[in-house]
Amino acid sequence: MINEALKALQKYYGYKDFRKSQKSVIENILSGKDTLAIMPTGGGKSICYQIPALLFDGITIVVSPLISLMKDQVDSIKELGIGAGYINSSLTPKESFDIISRLQGQSIKILYVAPERLESTEFCQMMKNLDISQIAVDEAHCVSQWGHDFRTSYRYISKFIKALPKRPIVTAFTATATEEVREDIVKLIQLNNPGVFISGFDRENLKINCLKEGDRFGYLLNYVKENREQSGIIYASTRKEVDNIYEKLKKEGLSVSRYHAGLSDEERKNNQEDFVYDRINVIIATNAFGMGIDKSNVRYVIHFNMPRNIEAYYQEIGRAGRDGEISECILLFSAQDIITQKYLIETSIQSSERKINEYKKLQFMIDFVHYNGCLRKYILNYFGESIEYEECGNCSNCINEGQLVDKTIDAQKVISCIYRMKKDFGVNMIADVLRASKQQKILQHKFNELSTYGIMKDYSKDDLVGFINTLIAHAYIALKEGEFPTVILNSMSTRVLKGEEKVILKEIIKVKKISSNNELFEELRILRREIAAEEGVPPYYIFADTTLKEMSTRYPLTEEQLLDISGVGESKLEKFGSKFIEIIEKYVIDKNIEISWIFKKKTKLQIDGEKVKTHEISVNMLREGKSIKEIAKERECTVQTIINHIAKFLDEGKSLDTTIKFDELFDEEQEKLVLSVVEQVGAERLAPIKEKLPEGFTYDTIRAVILKNYVLA
Ligand code: ADP
Ligand code: ZN
């Protein structure tokens, strides 16, 4: 069975192999057992229920809470050549009825439904007449009150299943790892003695950075500018902050939008769509944004403020790099964030028990920010994973970027100024004294008579405010909570002042590009956007960035080579393959690039116990009198593959001793045309031939003509 599964993975998704965690989950489902799989965001949950859905006789119902994204989810599966549909409140009765009849005709294998449907007796009645093999519950933590997205209608799932004439296999998926939630899922969805799979939570392609930059906005602005062509999410903790950042970045001419609960439903929906469809590059949002966003090409997530706990933080940064490409996560910490988070806990939570719990979680977050060891290890340990390495080599503590500089003297100047000012003031006031401002308020307090007045005039105002904030972030001085937070000294300040503690800071790291895309990648990206617009789907549904990257460095020029690129399955090959090959071909010629193509190792399928080679099977079928198209259909592969099988067979010096029915692939006139073009440009490469032919000629036609007239002749 797992062989069949692998075949489907390669055919539909174009991936070479399952990820380790996927394999055991799928095996368990295929063996007919209920399954609970817990995988991190981006871990590849959907394939775990979609592949079994393809292999089971009956249909699979996927319960998904994200009505607004259901159409997108279904579109993305359809792009793979899989029959899928959805039913939710946005459909008219007629549309729902159509779906049902397509379900009965089995042209839909996977049906997405909103949980609310399960409450409708009419819907349940209709489902009873269908052959249902699997119920897959996505975002299964929604059934639990402990989870962060509790949905009452999830409680109907078990009732719905019970009412079915035959109990299907029930599978559940979530990224929420806590014990309580896990137990709730098993109990409330009534999983039957399920296999439980918890995969490692590490996301190796995410670079985790925690920065204590005094001038956060300056850093942010530089970063977004430097990476202006990349997709990114900027999280801030309040609506006001979101609006503020949005306005400022917009003024700089950057491609930004925003998302928070204060906007109208309509505006939120539009902004989200602009982001998902790559119409804008950056979205600035509160934590209301992101659930169910499966945009795979988010290259960075910046937290402008420290989030409320590690769970939220990890979920939010998990939205970066779902496609497996290198992506960056940057937390810009300021001590003010702690005050904000405490305020939010105080005002938003009633129960004192939950309050205590939230404070505990907040403390773990604060500890994270001040942690000196490997940040990745800290997070994974937090989730109960034991990690063998000491250093991951891919977080800001493991990679020591930026020179260390001794700032003790400047720190002493700041501290002694605060000490002399006697009363508590804010950061701005302290900076003004140190820079010898002649403001009324300063003169009133006679701060111009202090020995520290004007001793840091060599700093600009912004730089000095930044420096003081950096000292606070590193806890050399402290913030006192209040309506206007003020700066106070702590025991560390005293030690610095006495010279017992040195203040060594990392120089501000120059903002770098996340990755530099090559020219061809950019061209392919433009093509992808055009095709996506025609198809009315987000660009990453056409191909992921990873797939384009691989194309732009390996230069596939034939369909067979293109199929060797991870993420190119047969349906997409057929629909878009030639367009991509065209661009790559042109680029290769323009740049005079030498290519020696080497096929990647695919995990081998076992066919007939491996005694007969796969191309020989095709030839044998040909000898049985089957046509190329029939063989392709039966073997679930492309016409091209079968032609390649025949060519390979002949290449081995063997003779075919059967005739091939070429008339299903081209007629005489087409043959003549192709041959006349081949005379001009040669038969080595297909793209130049295709270019010279009128519209409507496929690569398969050209290939078949060449097979008949050159290979067989
Ligand atoms: P999740 O739902 O767990 O957050 P997805 O199902 O959206 O994750 O998968 C995340 C990304 O990984 C998608 O872009 C998906 O196409 C890709 N992916 C999943 N399985 C594989 C695989 N076996 N090989 C390569 N890429 C994969
Ligand atoms: Zn590390």
Side-chain angles (χ1 to χ4, degrees):
M1 244 341 212
I2 195 73
N3 253 324
E4 296 296 310
L6 190 55
K7 224 156 111 181
L9 180 78
Q10 293 172 353
K11 174 181 156 87
Y12 291 101
Y13 298 83
Y15 296 137
K16 301 269 177 273
D17 204 354
F18 289 114
R19 295 177 178 152
K20 237 186 13 235
S21 48
Q22 288 174 324
K23 193 158 174 255
S24 34
V25 172
I26 290 173
E27 266 170 338
N28 194 65
I29 300 175
L30 290 178
S31 72
K33 294 201 194 92
D34 280 6
T35 305
L36 167 60
I38 298 159
M39 289 179 167
T41 314
K45 284 184 279 296
S46 31
I47 280 180
C48 292
Y49 58 80
Q50 287 168 5
I51 295 266
L54 286 168
L55 301 187
F56 287 144
D57 289 335
I59 60 166
T60 287
I61 294 182
V62 182
V63 181
S64 163
L66 306 155
I67 298 179
S68 62
L69 295 164
M70 216 167 255
K71 185 178 169 302
D72 277 1
Q73 284 178 324
V74 167
D75 282 347
S76 81
I77 308 174
K78 284 187 184 162
E79 288 293 346
L80 302 170
I82 298 169
Y86 64 93
I87 294 184
N88 64 29
S89 50
S90 75
L91 297 189
T92 63
K94 164 138 191 351
E95 284 170 325
S96 303
F97 186 78
D98 278 355
I99 300 273
I100 298 289
S101 59
R102 287 182 54 210
L103 281 165
Q104 280 156 347
Q106 288 257 2
S107 70
I108 289 181
K109 284 294 276 181
I110 304 180
L111 176 73
Y112 278 74
V113 299
E116 287 74 23
R117 288 297 97 194
L118 307 178
E119 296 177 39
S120 138
T121 38
E122 203 190 338
F123 175 82
C124 296
Q125 205 53 41
M126 284 190 294
M127 291 298 119
K128 280 184 189 164
N129 300 321
L130 297 171
D131 175 16
I132 303 170
S133 295
Q134 179 188 204
I135 308 265
V137 183
D138 201 9
E139 312 284 357
H141 62 275
C142 290
V143 80
S144 167
Q145 249 160 343
W146 294 103
H148 30 77
D149 318 296
F150 174 58
R151 289 275 283 264
T152 22
S153 43
Y154 262 64
R155 295 280 167 96
Y156 282 81
I157 295 174
S158 59
K159 229 165 107 191
F160 169 74
I161 296 170
K162 262 206 200 112
L164 294 170
K166 193 184 103 220
R167 189 180 185 279
I169 297 163
V170 183
T171 56
F173 301 84
T174 177
T176 305
T178 67
E179 185 82 38
E180 307 123 311
V181 174
R182 210 186 312 155
E183 282 168 6
D184 264 7
I185 293 173
V186 174
K187 198 171 75 203
L188 297 168
I189 300 181
Q190 298 191 2
L191 297 177
N192 183 5
N193 194 17
V196 178
F197 299 86
I198 304 169
S199 47
F201 264 60
D202 193 9
R203 297 278 310 281
E204 285 170 16
N205 62 319
L206 301 186
K207 182 174 173 200
I208 299 171
N209 298 276
C210 176
L211 305 181
K212 291 163 189 160
E213 282 284 349
D215 179 15
R216 290 197 277 190
F217 185 76
Y219 183 91
L220 179 77
L221 179 61
N222 277 339
Y223 189 92
V224 177
K225 273 186 175 168
E226 185 70 24
N227 293 291
R228 62 167 71 227
E229 74 279 15
Q230 309 278 14
S231 265
I233 304 174
I234 299 166
Y235 280 110
S237 43
T238 62
R239 297 175 196 182
K240 211 172 111 198
E241 190 102 84
V242 167
D243 288 337
N244 188 17
I245 298 170
Y246 168 76
E247 297 297 343
K248 283 188 184 163
L249 293 183
K250 201 173 162 65
K251 220 182 256 161
E252 294 283 336
L254 292 157
S255 166
V256 292
S257 187
R258 64 182 152 169
Y259 190 104
H260 59 62
L263 305 175
S264 70
D265 284 355
E266 179 75 13
E267 200 175 347
R268 270 208 310 269
K269 183 167 163 281
N270 288 340
N271 293 356
Q272 173 173 316
E273 217 177 83
D274 282 347
F275 180 64
V276 166
Y277 279 74
D278 283 355
R279 291 191 286 257
I280 57 114
N281 288 342
V282 180
I283 194 150
I284 303 129
T286 57
N287 59 7
F289 177 77
M291 159 105 145
I293 298 285
D294 64 355
K295 183 175 162 69
S296 70
N297 58 339
V298 176
R299 288 280 74 85
Y300 63 85
V301 169
I302 296 181
H303 281 89
F304 193 76
N305 305 107
M306 180 186 73
R308 67 185 197 283
N309 56 43
I310 302 277
E311 283 91 341
Y313 173 67
Y314 204 57
Q315 191 174 45
E316 283 157 10
I317 65 171
R319 290 174 186 135
R322 273 163 172 257
D323 53 13
E325 281 292 303
I326 305 272
S327 306
E328 288 200 330
C329 313
I330 299 172
L331 196 165
L332 296 168
F333 171 71
S334 145
Q336 173 67 39
D337 296 339
I338 301 175
I339 297 170
T340 309
Q341 289 303 348
K342 285 184 178 164
Y343 174 80
L344 289 175
I345 292 173
E346 277 307 319
T347 51
S348 67
I349 296 172
Q350 308 297 327
S351 129
S352 64
E353 191 192 355
R354 279 197 56 208
K355 239 182 216 173
I356 291 168
N357 195 24
E358 282 302 313
Y359 275 118
K360 232 165 59 192
K361 288 182 170 181
L362 176 62
Q363 193 54 50
F364 276 106
M365 190 72 230
I366 299 169
D367 291 348
F368 170 80
V369 166
H370 294 298
Y371 190 60
N372 286 322
C374 173
L375 296 175
R376 187 181 308 274
K377 190 168 170 163
Y378 181 98
I379 297 172
L380 295 174
N381 283 341
Y382 179 84
F383 289 120
E385 245 177 84
S386 58
I387 306 299
E388 279 167 20
Y389 53 73
E390 277 310 312
E391 295 196 344
C392 73
N394 198 20
C395 73
S396 52
N397 284 350
C398 288
I399 310 174
N400 257 317
E401 281 175 319
Q403 286 261 316
L404 294 179
V405 275
D406 188 336
K407 290 278 183 190
T408 311
I409 292 178
D410 282 355
Q412 285 169 337
K413 288 180 184 169
V414 173
I415 293 168
S416 69
C417 186
I418 298 167
Y419 176 74
R420 275 157 229 271
M421 284 164 75
K422 297 258 162 26
K423 266 171 48 200
D424 302 340
F425 292 94
V427 174
N428 273 301
M429 182 77 160
I430 298 164
D432 284 339
V433 175
L434 285 161
R435 294 187 67 254
S437 154
K438 296 196 172 61
Q439 272 180 54
Q440 191 61 36
K441 206 170 163 198
I442 287 180
L443 303 179
Q444 249 171 30
H445 282 97
K446 297 206 165 79
F447 287 153
N448 53 332
E449 291 169 17
L450 296 180
S451 61
T452 51
Y453 183 72
I455 54 168
M456 293 184 88
K457 268 194 276 193
D458 49 332
Y459 273 78
S460 74
K461 172 80 187 275
D462 282 352
D463 284 351
L464 189 52
V465 168
F467 178 63
I468 299 172
N469 278 326
T470 309
L471 291 177
I472 299 170
H474 282 90
Y476 290 111
I477 41 184
L479 267 193
K480 192 166 109 188
E481 295 167 38
E483 196 185 349
F484 301 104
T486 52
V487 182
I488 51 172
L489 302 181
N490 58 21
S491 59
M492 188 80 124
S493 324
T494 323
R495 291 173 53 82
V496 171
L497 206 54
K498 286 185 184 160
E500 292 166 1
E501 185 83 35
K502 277 199 175 320
V503 177
I504 311 283
L505 298 176
K506 259 186 218 165
E507 237 181 7
I508 295 174
I509 307 164
K510 249 199 98 196
V511 170
K512 279 192 288 206
K513 277 195 162 49
I514 303 165
S515 60
S516 51
N517 298 329
N518 72 23
E519 248 177 86
L520 178 55
F521 178 81
E522 293 302 336
E523 286 183 31
L524 297 174
R525 202 151 79 148
I526 292 169
L527 172 63
R528 173 175 73 177
R529 200 175 311 144
E530 286 167 9
I531 296 176
E534 274 167 36
E535 299 265 317
V537 298
Y540 62 97
Y541 283 177
I542 305 298
F543 286 126
D545 276 17
T546 348
T547 304
L548 296 192
K549 274 246 155 86
E550 203 180 319
M551 288 185 199
S552 73
T553 51
R554 290 181 71 210
Y555 312 111
L557 294 174
T558 66
E559 291 191 3
E560 197 185 7
Q561 290 172 354
L562 198 57
L563 262 185
D564 198 43
I565 303 285
S566 176
V568 183
E570 290 184 4
S571 162
K572 290 184 181 177
L573 173 77
E574 194 160 311
K575 282 171 85 172
F576 324 120
S578 57
K579 291 188 179 164
F580 282 87
I581 290 178
E582 224 169 89
I583 298 229
I584 298 166
E585 173 112 47
K586 186 167 174 306
Y587 185 85
V588 165
I589 293 170
D590 283 354
K591 303 272 158 172
N592 227 339
I593 296 169
E594 285 279 341
I595 306 150
S596 57
W597 185 271
I598 300 162
F599 280 97
K600 281 200 297 199
K601 240 177 60 198
K602 253 188 219 181
T603 305
K604 256 194 116 179
L605 303 175
Q606 282 208 341
I607 298 165
D608 284 0
E610 296 234 1
K611 279 195 288 295
V612 191
K613 293 201 183 101
T614 174
H615 67 293
E616 289 173 357
I617 296 175
S618 298
V619 171
N620 284 339
M621 291 168 86
L622 207 60
R623 286 170 174 155
E624 288 164 18
K626 288 181 177 144
S627 79
I628 291 182
K629 276 193 177 169
E630 282 164 1
I631 300 171
K633 185 149 184 261
E634 204 168 308
R635 300 204 62 190
E636 297 189 0
C637 56
T638 58
V639 164
Q640 178 197 350
T641 306
I642 305 302
I643 293 180
N644 286 334
H645 285 168
I646 300 169
K648 185 168 179 208
F649 187 81
L650 294 166
D651 211 37
E652 291 169 353
K654 300 175 191 149
S655 80
L656 211 52
D657 49 79
T658 182
T659 50
I660 298 174
K661 299 172 190 136
F662 280 110
D663 49 3
E664 64 168 353
L665 296 167
F666 54 79
D667 58 29
E668 233 175 283
E669 200 172 313
Q670 288 174 314
E671 185 177 13
K672 256 196 225 152
L673 255 170
V674 173
L675 286 175
S676 72
V677 174
V678 169
E679 264 173 36
Q680 296 168 43
V681 300
E684 285 74 42
R685 295 247 289 279
L686 302 186
I689 304 175
K690 187 164 188 292
E691 203 164 282
K692 284 206 153 35
L693 287 167
E695 285 270 305
F697 273 83
T698 64
Y699 278 98
D700 281 344
T701 306
I702 303 169
R703 218 173 257 121
V705 171
I706 293 174
L707 175 68
K708 179 180 167 194
N709 291 281
Y710 291 85
V711 187
L712 278 170

